[in-house]
Amino acid sequence: MPNRLTGTVAAVTGGDQGIGRAIAERLAQEGADVAICYRKNKKGADEVVDSITATKRRAAAFQADVGSVADGQRFIEQAVEALGKVDILVNNAGLEKRADFWEVTEEDFDAVLNVNLKGMFFVTQAVVRHLRQARRSGKIINISSVHEELPFPHFASYCASKGGIKMLTRNLAIELAPDRITINSIAPGAIETPINTKLLNDPVKLKELLGNIPLGRLGKPEDVAGLASFLASDESDYVTGSTFFVDGGLLWNYQEQ
Ligand code: BGC
């Protein structure tokens, strides 16, 4: 494993499970100290802290619902207090709710947009304020989705949130460049994580989905983590405002039968 993150501190939202967990562990393996936040899954968060501290890196977990601006800001304050600074932010926390468009409730719309988009917006703002104050460069990595491009019927609010992330990535790339803060998105396809437990337990739907993935398998959180560590490192210093797809070819797969 390369050691390209030695001396850095990363904050990962939703680092207690799935893609966030794999990224937190991977960044630590490459030398970063890592703060994660979790909404409910304290057990998972504790496991991540244990697995990171076992590799001699520092780690800390904090409860926060990034759908609340105050919680998100508090997470960054706590991360700085515990680990001295934050250089890298991974906006990973996210959720989706399935419903026909005409059935979507205000409550579900808010739940999705608050975490996926507003959370990303204001946690990034907290990290940018911290970096500007310290006059340090930084790396922001957003976990978006193929659905920042690709329609996902019955998940309209999720798609709206990911489309918003796509545009914020571009907008902030320009606005933050003078401060040497880069921002990029990773857009995973179908990755085996708790967000799609329902699908994983539905053999018919799963088979249909696999048929759409040219590489013929679901992704694993580790498939995403390697790219995140590249984007967190100075090897990616000239990369900003881009989205990288990690989807086994799903997004652009169209075949005429
Ligand atoms: C969603 C999954 C979905 C995958 C591929 C992801 O963004 O969270 O539910 O299976 O995209 O469509």
Side-chain angles (χ1 to χ4, degrees), residues 96 145-147 152 158 188-190 195-196 199 250:
E96 64 188 35
S145 165
V146 286
H147 300 298
F152 195 11
Y158 183 75
I195 208 172
N196 50 31
L199 171 89
L250 169 71

Side-chain angles (χ1 to χ4, degrees), residues 196-204 206:
N196 50 31
T197 309
K198 260 197 204 141
L199 171 89
L200 299 175
N201 292 325
D202 182 333
V204 178
L206 187 60

Side-chain angles (χ1 to χ4, degrees), residues 19 95-96 144-148 150-152 155 158 162 187-191 193 195-197 199-200 209 213 218 247 250:
I19 292 173
L95 69 137
E96 64 188 35
S144 176
S145 165
V146 286
H147 300 298
E148 72 166 46
L150 189 66
F152 195 11
F155 289 87
Y158 183 75
K162 297 301 183 180
I191 312 291
T193 73
I195 208 172
N196 50 31
T197 309
L199 171 89
L200 299 175
L209 172 64
I213 302 176
L218 294 177
D247 67 350
L250 169 71

